[in-house]
Amino acid sequence: MKPEEIERMRDEALAAFAAAGDLDALQEAKVAHTGGTSPLALANREIGALPPQAKAAAGKLVGQARGAVNKALAARQGELEAERDARVLVEEAVDVTLPYDRVPAGARHPLTTMMERVADVFVSMGYEIAEGPEVEAEWFNFDALNFTPDHPARQMQDTFFVQGPEGTHGDESGVVLRTHTSPVQARALLDREPPVYVVCPGRVYRTDELDATHTPVFHQIELLAVDEGLTMADLKGTLDHMVQSLFGSDMKTRLRPNYFPFTEPSAEMDMLCYVCKGESVGNPDRPCRTCSSEGWIELGGCGMVNPRVLVACGVDPEKYSGFAFGFGIERMLMFRHSVEDMRDMVEGDVRFTRPFGMEI
Amino acid sequence: MRVPLSWLREYVDLPATETGRDVQAKLISAGLEVERVEQLGADLKGPLVVGQVLTIEELEGFKKPIRFCTVDVGTANGTGEPQEIVCGARNFAVGDKVVVVLPGAVLPGDFAIAARKTYGRTSHGMICSGDELGMGDDGSGGIIVLPPEMEPGTDAIELLQLVDEVLDIAVTPDRGYALSMRGVAREAAIAYGLPLRDPALLDVPAPNAFGHPVRVADPIGCDRFTARTVTGLDPDAQSPIWLRRRLQKAGMRPVSLAVDVTNYVMLELGQPLHAYDRNRVEGTIGVRRAEQGEKLTTLDGVKRTLDAGDLVITDDRGPIGLAGVMGGAHTEIDDTEGTTTEVVVEAAHFDPISIARTARRHKLSSEASKRFERGADPAATSAAAQRTVDLLVLLAGGTADAGVTEVIAPSAPHTITIPADHPDKVAGVPYGRETVVRRLQQVGCDVYGQDELIVTVPSWRPDLTDPNDLAEEVIRLEGYENLPSTLPKPPAGLGLTDRQRLHRRVGRALAGAGYVEAPNYPFIGEHVFDQFGLAADDPKRKVVKLVNPLSDEEPALRTTLLPGLLGALRRNDGRGSHDLALFETGLVFHPQDELRVAGRLPVDRRPTDEEIASLTAALPLQPRHAAVVLAGAREQAGWWGKGRPADWADAIEAARILARESGTELLVRSGQYGPWHPGRCAELAVVVDGAEQVVGYAGELHPGVLKTLGLPARTCAMELDLDLLERASSGHPKGPKISTFPVATQDVALVVDKSVPHADVEAALHEGAGELLESIRLFDEYESEQLGADKKSLAYALRFRAADRTLTVDEASAARDAAVALATERTGAVLRGA
């Protein structure tokens, strides 16, 4: 067994591996150069027939050659597998810009999510959400709230009346579609012992024709707090907190005296325009569409709960005082989300609702 | 209430530099809702002068009569020559004084005046109407003819007071006093810390027995009645320009001198007045309640049938006016013939509630009724009558009759007792007693006492009745803007209720499944029940009806969400969105079996539980429903493959989503109801308190219904009672024990009759498999010729697992065999390949 022979076999094997262009060719070369009938395998077999004194040298010679061949095979195997893997990854590449609108996304209506959003500001402060019926007794909608039967304010709320039993006429049923969420105040006070801290979101009704700025069915959210020692400053602070939570930490509110039967003192509440922060006032170069360059946005009504309301609901006005406010969700949606036409909120067009998603 | 700034300055010496916007800001913070400040004549530019018409030449041959005039405008045109002007108006004659606008001027609306050719002549300016000058309606219907004493060339902008600012105030129902210059001036005076010249402070002669006789039969309805007489009025006397202009700026139309004066005094003092032609009043003027059915023709020419609750003014023949609302036509001042030379002036105070009811009953809201309803100042009647008399004497050359009639029902001033720190406690601000007293005095209260204040409210503030009313006066005058901002500390709350959480979850789950929320109005017409094919005795046909619906087509409240939701679907489809999945949750309304009137409970105490229950019994049942509708594709076609149309299974799956969210086991079975396709309708049921109840329906809608309603073919829908679903909820889910031993899977294919529902087969398999069964799932359903026309194959994957060991194949097979055996027994199922 000549060393040159063995080296030649080794070199031929190494050359064959290097020449193998893919894993199949390598497999062939592997069989040819490391298989049972390969020259090196045969040479190995021959070692047994050698005289004992030659065995060790021949064994070392063949063993080294076979070691080198196996190492080269493994190395080449690794190279070719890596090449193949890389190629497969390239081949498997896709166009990631393809759309996948197989089931178009759904959405909740922004009026719903807006109400939840506002309510959650107060829920996080410890308030509870109170609810009431939409078809409501006049007593809850008006009388308990200090709207006396002939009060002009009662006539100003364009009320839908429900037909009563046979023999009754007009508004004699004593049942109406609630004109505001305020009857829930009375219900909350009758249901709970003070202290009472509730918010009441819901649907309300007035006999307005639908147009760009009116809808006969709309939504309000009402807040009521009744406790010992509540003041108008507490009302102001609560309003400030709300607008900061909804519009940013530099927001604030402004109160202007107004009149509502169920609060005394009463106020109209405005919030600083969250877009121009009041800087458009007297500044014709930078007009603000959101607040019409007024600097303030009218939000709704508020005040200290009229002690007469407390009396009608069985709460001792000597011991407890309270504050309340309420405002329209549609309006807030209009100025917070630049909705220009109220009809878009009532027609259920999916193109309007979809962009609002799950939360607002 | 429209308040000209120039008029306001008559009562308060506002700084000359204060603009309308400045005053607006001050009044707003004092609580008057000044909605806007109208800038009169802001864009007006002269020359605008008095002219005297010298010649008029009628131009012929045009479609309408046209006049070519020469007008003396003094030296205003720079030449002193007559100004040549073409004019289309005809209500003037040679010698009349008119208002002329000369070239170079700009009229309101950016209307620039220049010499221009028209009707074949050159017109060097215009003879103006009130309209063109932005003066408002003067009732003349033509150009302005000025009193003869005016000098040609005089500046007419000044003369006609064309430049002014008008505050437009929306007066809240509690502040009747602000429906007068006097009231607004009082607020302005307080806001600026200036003295008020109260126009009601007049010398008034004491009442005597020589005045026009008056008899008040109802002193509650009318607690004050002053009557004064003025004679010798010049019937040709006209209201002077200043008076007309003030009325116009305040939004009223000048009519005739006597009427203008009463209107003027009403605006000034807030006291509605009425002037009767004395020669048309027979005998004693009376105030009483009308007799039921009595007739009266009011000034607006409407013949009215009176109600026994109406307060009327009478003479010996009967009613001559609807007290405090509108006078009668018969005793009207004659402003067309100009024959009235003697008037009786009425200044009275009427009960606000009575006036409000009458105005409402007759749908007749007048300037007078508006003021009485909101509470006029009863102490102002004498002064208002005096002011009217003074003006008639001054402007119409009349003579005040010495007779002064006053009928006054005795009344005590209203007093309120409050702790001196009450406003402090309401506001959360330590104002201190001194401030409180000073502020209350400013609004006109008399205040006595130290720690306890005894406050007598002024006659013009009938709205001040309660301690908090006084607190509001103090707080608003101290400035709402100066209130501090503090946060109360509510007790720890419980967060949302389970029901509220469920409502949110339902919305999120449906939106997550691709549905878009579409809340609809609850108004429906009952014809939809016929369109839906509901049986004649279907409970959904019993509706709550409105007395005054917006549309007679939709007078009822919904008992199902579907009409509204399908309307939204149709609207979207019509606008080009055809692949639709919509949902709505909201209340539906079912009348009680027995309709009741909701009584008017007292408000001076808490109603009893029985009283509250009586109101509840009068309200309809108002459960919350949830519904979905689908049309077009549920899955779109795309590069991934074909799309899939929405079908009955989607609608039923929507119900399953809701059941899952509410933790309720939903029973789905074949059903038939109303608008649904009879073969593709699932009845949805739940178990509430041990009893099965139908909670809703789902599936494909009936093709006939879809055709009638104009909806897309194969539209599907689901509606269920969310409240009922919630009541069936099993509450909080229990955490399952998870076994980590290996799963043993066994598939079975069963052949059953086509009519056997999968649910029955699955239930039997489930029960038969015993407790080793972890889950079961139908993975295939098919029919074929080999199976036979009335057969179908259902293939189920059963997964078995034990909590404590690895199952042997034999154990799993035994469980499977038991499952199949029960299915065979219950449903006649045959194991395929067996």
Side-chain angles (χ1 to χ4, degrees):
Chain A
M1 192 171 293
K2 291 175 184 161
E4 309 85 54
E5 287 281 297
I6 300 302
E7 280 168 20
R8 182 183 51 79
M9 290 175 198
R10 181 196 67 194
D11 291 348
E12 277 174 8
L14 297 187
F17 294 161
D22 56 29
L23 287 166
D24 291 342
L26 187 64
Q27 181 62 27
E28 276 177 32
K30 177 184 172 185
V31 172
H33 295 281
T34 65
T37 57
S38 63
L40 275 172
L42 296 174
N44 197 39
R45 225 172 285 158
E46 284 171 20
I47 294 172
L50 292 178
Q53 65 275 28
K55 270 185 184 168
K60 192 178 169 196
L61 188 66
V62 174
Q64 279 177 343
R66 292 183 77 191
V69 166
N70 284 335
K71 198 174 156 201
L73 174 65
R76 185 63 182 152
Q77 180 82 25
E79 273 174 33
L80 288 173
E81 278 178 5
E83 268 175 38
R84 180 204 56 194
D85 289 352
R87 193 173 57 248
V88 166
L89 290 180
V90 168
E91 284 166 5
E92 284 179 358
V94 296
D95 177 1
V96 296
T97 67
L98 288 176
Y100 200 69
D101 51 351
R102 195 164 186 161
V103 178
R108 304 173 72 209
H109 199 275
L111 288 172
T112 310
T113 49
M114 191 78 232
M115 277 195 290
E116 290 179 0
R117 174 82 196 240
V118 178
D120 285 349
V121 171
F122 298 106
V123 171
S124 73
M125 295 169 78
Y127 286 71
E128 290 174 10
I129 296 180
E131 291 159 304
E134 291 175 13
V135 179
E136 181 59 288
E138 269 196 82
W139 188 83
F140 278 110
N141 196 70
F142 289 127
D143 301 60
L145 301 172
N146 193 36
F147 286 80
T148 53
D150 294 290
H151 201 290
R154 189 159 175 157
Q155 318 310 325
M156 281 158 61
Q157 303 214 344
D158 309 306
T159 310
F160 283 110
F161 290 93
V162 166
Q163 284 184 10
E166 216 153 304
T168 59
H169 301 282
D171 58 4
E172 291 170 0
S173 67
V175 180
V176 298
L177 300 192
R178 66 179 179 192
T179 57
H180 46 190
T181 40
S182 308
V184 188
Q185 282 190 23
R187 288 183 172 273
L189 286 175
L190 289 170
D191 285 351
R192 299 152 203 248
E193 290 293 320
V196 172
Y197 288 85
V198 292
V199 278
C200 327
R203 242 182 177 201
V204 300
Y205 301 85
R206 297 202 192 163
T207 57
D208 289 320
E209 293 285 348
L210 174 65
D211 63 26
T213 52
H214 297 86
T215 158
V217 182
F218 57 105
H219 299 77
Q220 286 186 334
I221 190 158
E222 184 104 358
L223 175 141
L224 171 73
V226 172
D227 203 343
E228 289 180 48
L230 291 183
T231 67
M232 230 169 146
D234 292 331
L235 164 64
K236 174 85 164 78
T238 304
L239 290 169
D240 283 342
H241 177 78
M242 178 184 75
V243 296
Q244 284 160 12
S245 168
L246 292 172
F247 294 93
S249 57
D250 52 350
M251 291 296 297
K252 58 181 179 179
T253 57
R254 173 178 82 172
L255 300 185
R256 289 180 285 121
N258 203 320
Y259 172 77
F260 306 106
F262 42 107
T263 49
E264 187 73 34
S266 300
E268 194 76 26
M269 53 178 173
D270 302 335
M271 57 174 253
L272 188 66
C273 175
Y274 72 101
V275 176
C276 74
K277 303 276 160 63
E279 281 169 19
S280 64
V281 179
N283 194 351
D285 299 337
R286 292 181 54 194
C288 179
R289 285 179 57 185
T290 304
C291 64
S292 308
S293 300
E294 296 281 336
W296 295 90
I297 298 171
E298 205 174 303
L299 205 54
C302 63
M304 300 305 289
V305 178
N306 193 316
R308 289 173 188 242
V309 174
L310 297 179
V311 169
C313 297
V315 176
D316 179 4
E318 298 293 323
K319 186 172 177 197
Y320 294 103
S321 60
F323 60 81
F325 65 77
F327 59 86
I329 296 295
E330 276 78 1
R331 235 189 89 64
M332 179 170 273
L333 198 59
M334 286 181 104
F335 67 73
R336 191 172 185 261
H337 296 273
S338 310
V339 179
E340 287 175 7
D341 194 324
M342 217 172 255
R343 284 170 288 213
D344 290 339
M345 295 183 207
V346 308
E347 288 178 342
D349 195 311
V350 294
R351 294 169 300 166
F352 172 78
T353 305
R354 270 209 179 101
F356 290 100
M358 289 283 190
E359 302 257 353
I360 199 164
Chain B
M1 177 76 193
R2 290 168 52 88
V3 177
L5 197 57
S6 61
W7 193 357
L8 187 64
R9 288 177 184 276
E10 192 168 296
Y11 313 109
V12 192
D13 291 325
L14 299 173
T17 51
E18 288 294 283
T19 65
R21 293 280 291 196
D22 298 334
V23 179
Q24 175 188 34
K26 287 269 194 187
L27 291 180
I28 284 177
S29 86
L32 292 183
E33 204 180 335
V34 186
E35 291 190 317
R36 62 199 184 108
V37 181
E38 202 174 305
Q39 306 289 334
L40 297 184
D43 48 357
L44 178 67
K45 187 169 148 278
L48 187 73
V49 298
V50 175
Q52 180 164 27
V53 180
L54 299 175
T55 62
I56 297 175
E57 179 192 342
E58 301 286 347
L59 302 183
E60 306 291 336
F62 298 105
K63 276 185 198 150
K64 57 176 189 170
I66 295 295
R67 292 170 149 191
F68 180 71
C69 312
T70 58
V71 185
D72 174 11
V73 293
T75 55
N77 56 3
T79 63
E81 293 296 314
Q83 196 78 5
E84 296 181 345
I85 297 174
V86 175
C87 183
R90 309 196 58 74
N91 63 321
F92 63 98
V94 169
D96 277 353
K97 299 285 172 58
V98 294
V99 182
V100 177
V101 61
L102 298 174
V106 181
L107 293 186
D110 211 15
F111 178 21
I113 303 298
R116 64 186 188 101
K117 278 220 150 109
T118 177
Y119 297 105
R121 305 290 177 96
T122 299
S123 187
H124 298 272
M126 256 169 55
I127 300 175
C128 298
S129 70
D131 226 18
E132 286 158 343
L133 298 178
M135 289 169 57
D137 188 0
D138 66 351
S140 71
I143 61 117
I144 303 166
V145 178
L146 296 169
E149 63 270 19
M150 302 296 164
E151 273 302 312
T154 309
D155 177 22
I157 294 178
E158 179 67 31
L159 181 72
L160 297 174
Q161 294 158 25
L162 293 177
V163 180
D164 203 349
E165 295 187 275
V166 180
L167 309 178
D168 197 346
I169 305 176
V171 177
T172 51
D174 60 326
R175 292 179 185 258
Y177 73 98
L179 288 170
S180 67
M181 293 303 301
R182 180 196 186 206
V184 175
R186 186 182 307 278
E187 290 295 342
I190 300 172
Y192 280 91
L194 294 168
L196 168 76
R197 278 189 294 279
D198 186 349
L201 287 180
L202 295 178
D203 282 336
V204 177
N208 55 45
F210 328 123
H212 195 98
V214 171
R215 206 177 70 82
V216 176
D218 188 335
I220 295 184
C222 173
D223 57 0
R224 296 243 181 178
F225 198 110
T226 301
R228 300 287 299 273
T229 305
V230 183
T231 57
L233 297 172
D234 173 2
D236 295 328
Q238 298 284 315
S239 300
I241 289 174
W242 65 265
L243 176 58
R244 299 166 70 93
R245 289 298 292 139
R246 283 190 169 176
L247 290 178
Q248 285 176 330
K249 289 175 188 176
M252 296 190 88
R253 194 164 70 87
V255 179
S256 66
L257 180 58
V259 174
D260 291 352
V261 164
T262 56
N263 282 337
Y264 182 83
V265 176
M266 176 181 73
L267 290 173
E268 185 176 49
L269 299 178
Q271 169 66 50
L273 298 130
H274 195 73
Y276 300 92
D277 185 331
R278 185 162 87 158
N279 296 321
R280 297 186 182 185
V281 176
E282 296 231 342
T284 299
I285 291 180
V287 184
R288 61 164 167 85
R289 298 285 165 180
E291 286 158 28
Q292 187 71 39
E294 219 171 348
K295 301 281 194 287
L296 171 68
T297 303
T298 40
L299 276 175
D300 54 4
V302 177
K303 187 170 185 182
R304 298 175 188 276
T305 303
L306 304 180
D307 182 275
D310 293 334
L311 207 54
V312 288
I313 310 294
T314 59
D315 69 1
D316 288 351
R317 290 165 304 187
I320 56 171
L322 208 45
V325 180
M326 191 173 272
H330 182 68
T331 50
E332 190 181 357
I333 299 284
D334 190 332
D335 53 11
T336 46
E337 299 289 317
T339 56
T340 300
T341 57
E342 298 184 353
V343 299
V344 177
V345 175
E346 163 203 312
H349 183 260
F350 301 107
D351 173 39
I353 291 177
S354 172
I355 299 299
R357 288 185 183 165
T358 294
R360 205 161 73 235
R361 200 177 287 132
H362 296 284
K363 295 190 173 58
L364 182 60
S365 176
S366 64
E367 291 292 328
S369 71
K370 242 166 46 188
R371 285 172 173 78
F372 283 125
E373 275 180 49
R374 285 165 172 75
D377 180 0
T381 55
S382 317
Q386 182 63 45
R387 181 81 167 122
T388 309
V389 168
D390 289 347
L391 285 171
L392 288 174
V393 169
L394 179 73
L395 303 174
T399 306
D401 199 289
V404 176
T405 304
E406 288 213 1
V407 179
I408 301 178
S411 67
H414 185 64
T415 63
I416 307 166
T417 305
I418 57 165
D421 65 351
H422 183 67
D424 303 21
K425 284 187 167 159
V426 173
V429 176
Y431 295 123
R433 179 187 175 280
E434 203 177 311
T435 302
V436 168
V437 170
R438 178 169 52 87
R439 288 305 191 182
L440 291 176
Q441 285 170 339
Q442 279 179 334
V443 299
C445 295
D446 285 331
V447 186
Y448 297 97
Q450 281 299 317
D451 296 343
E452 284 264 289
L453 302 180
I454 300 161
V455 182
T456 305
V457 306
S459 56
W460 59 85
R461 290 301 301 273
D463 60 306
L464 302 181
T465 58
D466 292 9
N468 269 29
D469 297 333
L470 300 181
E472 177 175 78
E473 293 302 306
V474 173
I475 299 167
R476 78 176 170 92
L477 294 178
E478 284 296 302
Y480 276 15
E481 66 274 18
N482 296 320
L483 286 168
S485 187
T486 56
L487 273 179
K489 294 194 173 52
L494 297 173
L496 303 189
T497 62
D498 287 345
R499 175 184 157 86
Q500 289 159 354
R501 285 179 196 283
L502 172 63
H503 292 166
R504 291 189 178 191
R505 223 157 48 231
V506 159
R508 289 201 192 106
L510 289 173
Y515 290 87
V516 177
E517 187 174 14
N520 294 286
Y521 289 176
F523 309 123
I524 58 165
E526 289 165 274
H527 58 276
V528 300
F529 301 130
D530 297 332
Q531 293 171 333
F532 275 19
L534 298 193
D537 60 349
D538 192 294
K540 282 198 169 55
R541 283 184 180 270
K542 283 188 69 184
V543 291
V544 174
K545 282 194 189 166
L546 297 177
V547 174
N548 51 338
L550 277 185
S551 155
D552 291 337
E553 299 286 297
E554 295 183 329
L557 297 184
R558 65 190 179 190
T559 53
T560 153
L561 300 180
L562 290 185
L565 206 48
L566 289 170
L569 182 110
R570 187 170 44 229
R571 196 152 47 238
N572 274 288
D573 189 61
R575 293 177 180 181
S577 303
H578 306 300
D579 302 326
L580 292 161
L582 305 179
F583 83 96
E584 177 173 14
T585 68
L587 303 191
V588 300
F589 307 88
H590 300 291
Q592 301 273 5
D593 290 338
E594 190 190 336
L595 289 188
R596 291 190 177 86
V597 167
R600 188 147 284 158
L601 305 184
V603 293
D604 56 353
R605 59 164 172 82
R606 185 190 210 280
T608 63
D609 291 348
E610 292 73 39
E611 286 171 329
I612 296 173
S614 76
L615 294 187
T616 307
L619 296 181
L621 304 173
Q622 301 172 51
R624 179 173 290 266
H625 277 204
V628 308
V629 294
L630 301 115
R634 179 78 167 116
E635 289 176 20
Q636 316 248 39
W639 56 267
W640 51 81
K642 280 206 268 186
R644 181 177 71 74
D647 63 22
W648 56 271
D650 291 306
I652 300 171
E653 184 57 17
R656 290 201 183 94
I657 290 173
L658 300 189
R660 231 165 14 238
E661 293 301 332
S662 61
T664 305
E665 194 183 341
L666 188 71
L667 305 172
V668 178
R669 59 200 177 209
S670 172
Q672 290 191 3
Y673 181 70
W676 276 275
H677 185 311
R680 296 183 172 186
C681 173
E683 182 177 83
L684 311 168
V686 292
V687 176
V688 181
D689 303 329
E692 218 172 77
Q693 286 201 45
V694 173
V695 73
Y697 294 88
E700 185 178 313
L701 292 180
H702 194 294
V705 172
L706 295 179
K707 198 170 169 211
T708 307
L709 295 175
L711 291 167
R714 305 285 178 203
T715 296
C716 299
M718 180 282 294
E719 177 169 20
L720 56 70
D721 182 335
L722 204 52
D723 286 348
L724 201 53
L725 194 70
E726 190 206 353
R727 280 174 55 203
S729 165
S730 52
H732 309 293
K734 292 188 175 51
K737 291 189 173 53
I738 298 299
S739 165
T740 54
F741 289 94
V743 68
T745 306
Q746 299 262 353
D747 291 351
V748 295
L750 300 174
V751 176
V752 292
D753 284 349
K754 234 165 130 176
S755 60
V756 175
H758 142 77
D760 291 359
V761 179
E762 189 193 74
L765 288 171
H766 202 287
E767 191 183 329
E771 62 180 10
L772 292 178
L773 184 71
E774 184 178 76
S775 69
I776 180 168
R777 180 168 182 274
L778 177 75
F779 66 87
D780 195 19
E781 190 232 17
Y782 79 94
E783 295 162 20
S784 74
E785 271 178 36
Q786 286 121 311
L787 290 175
D790 56 350
K791 298 283 183 190
K792 65 182 174 186
S793 164
L794 300 171
Y796 294 89
L798 284 68
R799 289 161 65 87
F800 297 98
R801 193 163 0 216
D804 55 351
R805 64 187 189 282
T806 301
L807 289 181
T808 64
V809 174
D810 288 348
E811 279 177 303
S813 299
R816 179 202 62 190
D817 293 344
V820 171
L822 194 62
T824 304
E825 183 190 326
R826 294 253 177 96
T827 67
V830 177
L831 188 64
R832 286 189 71 204

